[in-house]
Amino acid sequence: MLKPKGLLFDVTLCIGCGACYDGCKQKNNLPKTNQNFLSDHLSANTFTVVEQYGNNYARKLCMHCDEPSCVSVCPVGAFSKSKTGAVLYDGNKCIGCRYCMQACPHKVPRYEWGKTQPRVRKCNMCDDRIKDGKITACAEACPTEATLYGDMDKLIEIAKKRIKENKRNYYPHIYGLHEAGGSHVLILSPVPFEQLGYTPNLPKEPMPMLTMRAMEKIPPVVGVGGIFLGGMYWLTKRKNQIAKEENESIKDLEKHEN
Amino acid sequence: MKTDTLLKFTFWRVIAVVIIVAGIVSTYYRFTKGLGATTNLSDAVPWGFWIGFDFLGVGLAAAGFTIAATVHIFNIHRFEPIVRPAILTAFIGYSLVIGLLVVDLGRPENFWHPLVMWNIHSVMFEITWCIICYTTVLILEFAPVVLEKFNLKAPVKLLKKISIPIVIAGVLFSTLHQSSFGSLYLIVPGRLHQLWYSSLLPVHFYISCIAAGLSMIIFESYLNTRAFNTGLRLKILSKLSVVVVIVLVVEFLLKITDLLLSGKFNYLVTSSMETSLFYLEIIVGTIMPVIILGSKKNRENKSWLFIASVCVICGFILNRMNVSITGMVSSSGVNYFPSFDEISITFMLVVFAMIAFRLVVQYFPVFTYSEEKVIEENGIAETKKLITGE
Ligand code: SF4
Ligand code: SF4
Ligand code: SF4
């Protein structure tokens, strides 16, 4: 059995060389989208970027959430969570409603707006490579181990150790461990994460729970609603009938009196 | 006089033709060039005007289930004369929405996938199914009108027999998807502006669609009286407007309590585009109609009824557009305005819907009840007749 895998990205180790960016493009056969990789942004042809914030470089890519919004909202189940933890997309199922793009708390999925048969595009954690026993292309390309690929439990251990042993260099938080219910991409940083453009204030609770709480009410609404409506029909009908019968008896009485 | 009306007619016809031609051209481009080339949608704004418009179409068609329930479930037969127009409105509204959804989908050829590929955790999945089921219900509810016209008695009899379960199913499906349109946004607390985001969004959507749907009936009846002179009795509409006021007040109180309880008072007193739009929505859609309809004299006046219904509808449109477009602007960081093609395709579908409504009304008995007949249908009148033994 495959153990849950993930990526650990450490801002303090990143030198902003763009090797992950190039590695990802190559692995996924993506065309060049920008002269300068540092000013590129996620798009249908770019699954990961390296952004510069002063002396710090921050990678952006799909977080591969534990309970992904994209999986939960897709009406046709085009997204799925694989055993390794990667969140995968099946373009053959997709109807193109773009709810996944709207719902993702990290604003990751991108669309092929220019095509007549567009797909949603995003990082798939190099699922094919992993199934072949390799590591992700970006982790392989990284010269400094700023991007580490491995078993989730090991990565969490490493992250905790780094923060503990080097309190001065790290902001004491592992981004992604609990954000939006936790994810398979973990990030370490020397500064608060919103300064590096990571979505702040995400709830610890998985986002799909927000929808679940409403969806849960559907069966009782249908059950109680159905009984209520049926009951009301019966009641009001009877009431009308009784009123009618009473009227008829009045009529009869009147007839007799005449 | 005659040439005047003739001119007026041709004027509107010309406009309709222009809109349709533009719409067809836009539709052609939409399908041959893709969404990127023809819309202003982008990765930052994946949902735009079309989704907002879907909300409007479905919301304004809400009278279909409210009136059907009032008459057939609660047996308040006073409203019987407006059942058919309400159902027709709903059916045409839903057809429009389905048409627009197909245009909006990135892969329209896959529109049938939700039928066989299920994800029961998805609100979108639930909405898709409810819309399909409810449209079927509407067809069944309207079928007798068509069948009667062609004198097919057997199927009408059958439909009458199962009419109550059909109406109940219709009410349930409507309740679910009307509210689920609000549930769509539950998962985006960080994106939708706090003035509109609420865990009660589905409830707000549900209640507000009832007021809007009923106002739509008043609105249509007014226009229809002018066009065909077979319109509805003022009395029914003024009773209906009382219901509208009650629903509006309930929704208003719920909304304010919800805002205050969730500690969002500060959003009401900051000056921002969102706050202004929020106030506009409340003033036009709630306060103005409640003031107008609060007076009995106005409720019995055709023009005031009409004006109030227009207010409610405008407020409703503002609300749905605020949730789907303006409430998202500040988080997306992109100013979105629909493109020409987005607008022209939508307008084309609206013109189609209007033509369809007119044609059906012209050839089928939709607005059937003349004054006397209404009295006959009216329970009280019947009782009187019985009492006096006529
Ligand atoms: S980051 Fe977004 S796209 Fe990636 S798994 Fe989470 S919800 Fe899905
Ligand atoms: S766009 Fe495709 S993948 Fe995304 S939610 Fe819609 S159907 Fe699913
Ligand atoms: S895991 Fe693979 S697809 Fe994802 S960013 Fe790295 S190289 Fe690209």
Side-chain angles (χ1 to χ4, degrees):
Chain A
M1 252 234 9
L2 279 167
K3 267 187 153 181
K5 307 278 183 184
L7 288 168
L8 171 63
F9 174 66
D10 190 333
V11 176
T12 64
L13 296 176
C14 180
I15 53 170
C17 67
C20 54
Y21 174 89
D22 291 334
C24 178
K25 287 245 170 196
Q26 211 171 36
K27 143 85 200 9
N28 293 298
N29 291 324
L30 300 172
K32 201 171 170 137
T33 42
N34 207 308
Q35 291 302 328
N36 176 8
F37 73 91
L38 282 174
S39 51
D40 205 2
H41 41 75
L42 292 185
S43 70
N45 288 320
T46 310
F47 301 165
T48 185
V49 284
V50 182
E51 293 169 351
Q52 184 170 16
Y53 295 86
N55 291 329
N56 294 318
Y57 299 94
R59 272 192 77 190
K60 301 286 156 67
L61 70 164
C62 169
M63 300 290 287
H64 299 278
C65 307
D66 276 333
E67 285 186 53
S69 299
C70 55
V71 172
S72 103
V73 299
C74 177
V76 292
F79 276 105
S80 61
K81 181 97 181 148
S82 85
K83 286 212 174 74
T84 58
V87 175
L88 305 174
Y89 165 78
D90 178 357
N92 293 326
K93 284 188 174 176
C94 177
I95 57 173
C97 68
R98 311 185 292 280
Y99 193 12
C100 49
M101 308 176 64
Q102 188 74 266
C104 169
H106 299 283
K107 303 189 183 173
V108 166
R110 302 289 135 133
Y111 208 53
E112 295 180 318
W113 294 100
K115 299 202 173 162
T116 47
Q117 298 204 328
R119 287 168 299 172
V120 174
R121 306 288 269 155
K122 71 171 194 67
C123 155
N124 59 2
M125 231 209 265
C126 292
D127 200 55
D128 42 346
R129 284 177 62 101
I130 288 170
K131 285 190 178 131
D132 288 346
K134 293 189 221 154
I135 68 172
T136 69
C138 52
E140 192 175 80
C142 182
T144 68
E145 293 200 337
T147 299
L148 259 188
Y149 173 83
D151 295 342
M152 269 318 276
D153 45 0
K154 292 238 176 69
L155 293 179
I156 295 172
E157 218 171 278
I158 297 174
K160 282 187 175 154
K161 210 170 121 198
R162 283 188 192 171
I163 293 182
K164 210 170 137 196
E165 287 176 359
N166 214 335
K167 285 206 176 88
R168 234 186 254 168
N169 281 357
Y170 289 101
Y171 179 75
H173 180 75
I174 305 174
Y175 189 89
L177 196 56
H178 297 299
E179 268 74 14
S183 61
H184 283 242
V185 174
L186 304 174
I187 300 163
L188 291 177
S189 151
V191 293
F193 288 87
E194 57 266 33
Q195 292 180 18
L196 302 179
Y198 294 105
T199 319
N201 304 329
L202 287 174
K204 279 192 175 177
E205 184 186 53
M207 310 301 280
M209 278 307 294
L210 293 168
T211 320
M212 269 302 122
R213 273 201 284 275
M215 300 276 285
E216 262 165 22
K217 307 225 164 67
I218 291 177
V221 163
V222 171
V224 174
I227 292 167
F228 171 74
L229 292 170
M232 275 326 259
Y233 167 70
W234 186 79
L235 264 177
T236 50
K237 197 177 168 179
R238 240 188 100 68
K239 211 180 91 195
N240 284 359
Q241 206 153 29
I242 290 172
K244 211 171 177 180
E245 272 161 20
E246 268 172 13
N247 285 328
E248 256 153 34
S249 52
I250 293 172
K251 202 168 100 182
D252 280 346
L253 269 178
E254 279 172 351
K255 256 191 201 155
H256 278 292
E257 276 167 18
N258 288 342
Chain B
M1 265 303 265
K2 236 184 173 172
T3 44
D4 257 16
T5 43
L6 208 71
L7 268 179
K8 220 168 129 195
F9 258 114
T10 36
F11 172 71
W12 285 115
R13 279 208 182 133
V14 170
I15 298 256
V17 170
V18 170
I19 292 178
I20 290 175
V21 171
I24 290 174
V25 174
S26 294
T27 313
Y28 173 76
Y29 280 125
R30 150 68 190 93
F31 286 110
T32 50
K33 299 263 185 310
L35 286 167
T38 45
T39 69
N40 284 343
L41 299 169
S42 63
D43 286 329
V45 188
W47 285 358
F49 182 58
W50 284 337
I51 288 277
F53 208 85
D54 292 333
F55 290 176
L56 302 184
V58 165
L60 293 175
F65 83 93
T66 27
I67 296 292
T70 312
V71 172
H72 295 302
I73 306 293
F74 295 95
N75 285 304
I76 306 175
H77 291 278
R78 193 190 304 137
F79 292 116
E80 179 113 39
I82 50 181
V83 170
R84 284 180 177 186
I87 288 177
L88 180 63
T89 308
F91 178 67
I92 290 178
Y94 275 74
S95 311
L96 192 154
V97 166
I98 292 173
L100 202 53
L101 273 174
V102 169
V103 176
D104 196 359
L105 287 182
R107 299 291 299 271
E109 70 277 19
N110 291 348
F111 76 93
W112 50 273
H113 280 185
L115 297 178
V116 289
M117 301 169 191
W118 289 24
N119 174 15
I120 55 161
H121 299 295
S122 165
V123 180
M124 188 72 91
F125 173 78
E126 183 226 322
I127 290 179
T128 313
W129 269 92
C130 281
I131 287 187
I132 294 170
C133 292
Y134 185 54
T135 311
T136 316
V137 164
L138 285 171
I139 292 175
L140 292 178
E141 284 180 344
F142 198 72
V145 181
V146 180
L147 295 171
E148 263 166 29
K149 169 99 178 178
F150 297 110
N151 239 337
L152 296 163
K153 294 221 172 78
V156 173
K157 241 181 166 172
L158 181 80
L159 282 173
K160 280 235 164 89
K161 250 189 207 142
I162 54 167
S163 76
I164 296 302
I166 291 182
V167 173
I168 292 184
V171 174
L172 292 176
F173 286 133
S174 297
T175 307
L176 290 187
H177 73 271
Q178 293 282 4
S179 55
S180 290
F181 271 122
S183 308
L184 278 178
Y185 289 88
L186 286 176
I187 204 163
V188 294
R191 290 206 182 189
L192 183 54
H193 191 273
Q194 289 301 315
L195 279 172
W196 291 284
Y197 185 85
S198 152
S199 51
L200 288 182
L201 259 177
V203 182
H204 291 311
F205 264 58
Y206 185 57
I207 301 180
S208 58
C209 84
I210 294 176
L214 296 179
S215 302
M216 194 64 191
I217 292 293
I218 299 178
F219 177 81
E220 274 173 1
S221 308
Y222 179 84
L223 292 185
N224 201 64
T225 329
R226 290 190 13 183
F228 298 97
N229 272 324
T230 55
L232 301 161
R233 290 192 43 178
L234 195 62
K235 224 174 173 178
I236 302 178
L237 296 184
S238 98
K239 287 250 161 60
L240 206 59
S241 72
V242 177
V243 183
V244 172
V245 172
I246 296 172
V247 177
L248 285 176
V249 170
V250 168
E251 163 68 359
F252 178 72
L253 294 178
L254 185 71
K255 207 173 224 167
I256 297 302
T257 338
D258 183 23
L259 274 173
L260 295 182
L261 285 185
S262 47
K264 291 178 187 159
F265 178 74
N266 60 320
Y267 289 104
L268 290 174
V269 290
T270 41
S271 80
S272 67
M273 179 192 73
E274 284 88 359
T275 311
S276 323
L277 283 169
F278 183 79
Y279 278 118
L280 188 67
E281 176 192 317
I282 297 279
I283 292 171
V284 173
T286 310
I287 297 182
M288 275 168 47
V290 168
I291 291 176
I292 295 175
L293 297 175
S295 122
K296 191 163 186 229
K297 225 168 108 203
N298 288 345
R299 282 203 301 273
E300 278 159 8
N301 177 309
K302 236 182 192 169
S303 315
W304 278 118
L305 271 178
F306 178 69
I307 293 169
S309 73
V310 172
C311 284
V312 178
I313 293 169
C314 288
F316 176 83
I317 293 176
L318 260 172
N319 171 263
R320 295 307 196 257
M321 286 298 167
N322 279 336
V323 172
S324 59
I325 299 174
T326 26
M328 294 288 202
V329 164
S330 65
S331 70
S332 71
V334 175
N335 262 319
Y336 162 86
F337 192 82
S339 71
F340 173 80
D341 290 316
E342 279 174 83
I343 295 174
S344 77
I345 292 176
T346 313
F347 279 14
M348 170 187 76
L349 289 174
V350 172
V351 170
F352 280 153
M354 281 157 73
I355 294 174
F357 190 84
R358 278 196 139 222
L359 285 179
V360 176
V361 168
Q362 208 160 29
Y363 291 106
F364 294 98
V366 178
F367 290 92
T368 43
Y369 291 80
S370 61
E371 295 269 324
E372 301 92 305
K373 240 189 159 176
V374 173
I375 297 176
E376 269 177 41
E377 282 296 320
N378 191 316
I380 302 162
E382 214 175 289
T383 324
K384 262 196 201 140
K385 216 170 62 189
L386 287 170
I387 292 174
T388 49
E390 276 171 11

